[in-house]
Amino acid sequence: MKPLKRPVRRGLLVAHVAVSVSWLGLTVGLLALGISAFTTGDPATVGAATRAMKIFGDWLVVPVALLALVTGLVLALGTPWGLARHRWVWTKFWLTLITTGLSIFSLRPGIDAAAAEGAVDINLVVAPSVATGTYLFITAISILKPWGLTRRGRRLRFSASSAKSVDARSPRQTA
């Protein structure tokens, strides 16, 4: 993929951060509603919490998760970071892919079942808890950028530095 031009990259980065923060906030909201519904003995509170969770699940979870995945993927492929050059990017991609799949194929059906039954089990507290921890971990590695290059990244860096050193020794100008 061609490198993104600076204005496009910056706009996409803002969109990715906004969507990712929204996904984290959405998950914290689902966690608060799940805890409220699970711990209360009031059927009205359980019903209100499960209906609110269903609205979040039906309208927000899938689009926000997919937008976070797509914007992150385009940023990785359109910038020098690459998708498989740095361990933190590679880890972030796989965690986002897994949590997107779990959100679509596990969390949403669980929310739908809870809303239909009017009762919440512990799974609707555990799932948002794990998701929140995962998104906080993804945020941390995005900021800290730990672990260095992948094997592919080291190979690409070595081949690029080898080409530069050959060019530097060559008496002819290179393009």
Side-chain angles (χ1 to χ4, degrees):
M1 184 171 168
K2 286 176 66 173
L4 298 171
K5 294 189 185 302
R6 186 172 185 208
V8 174
R9 180 186 52 79
R10 292 177 77 176
L12 198 57
L13 180 61
V14 168
H16 179 68
V17 170
V19 169
S20 298
V21 169
S22 299
W23 198 11
L24 176 60
L26 174 62
T27 305
V28 170
L30 287 171
L31 177 60
L33 289 168
I35 290 171
S36 296
F38 185 70
T39 58
T40 188
D42 181 24
T45 302
V46 172
T50 56
R51 284 192 307 275
M53 289 176 81
K54 183 157 175 47
I55 291 170
F56 281 9
D58 288 348
W59 289 94
L60 296 173
V61 168
V62 174
V64 168
L66 291 175
L67 277 171
L69 180 65
V70 169
T71 56
L73 189 60
V74 173
L75 277 170
L77 295 174
T79 62
W81 289 109
L83 182 61
R85 292 181 184 169
H86 298 270
R87 285 191 183 112
W88 71 272
V89 177
W90 193 233
T91 302
K92 193 175 156 180
F93 167 72
W94 281 106
L95 287 174
T96 303
L97 187 64
I98 290 166
T99 53
T100 298
L102 289 173
S103 295
I104 294 169
F105 298 113
S106 181
L107 181 62
R108 277 197 66 223
I111 291 171
D112 291 343
E117 296 169 8
V120 173
D121 63 359
I122 192 68
N123 292 332
L124 286 183
V125 175
V126 172
S129 299
V130 171
T132 299
T134 303
Y135 304 148
L136 289 172
F137 176 73
I138 288 171
T139 301
I141 65 174
S142 296
I143 294 166
L144 300 174
K145 299 172 179 47
W147 309 316
L149 297 171
T150 61
R151 186 177 301 140
R152 181 178 189 275
R154 285 190 303 270
R155 189 174 57 245
L156 289 172
R157 182 171 283 174
F158 177 75
S159 65
S161 67
S162 297
K164 286 180 184 177
S165 64
V166 169
D167 290 343
R169 287 181 275 166
S170 174
R172 293 180 20 176
Q173 285 285 356
T174 57

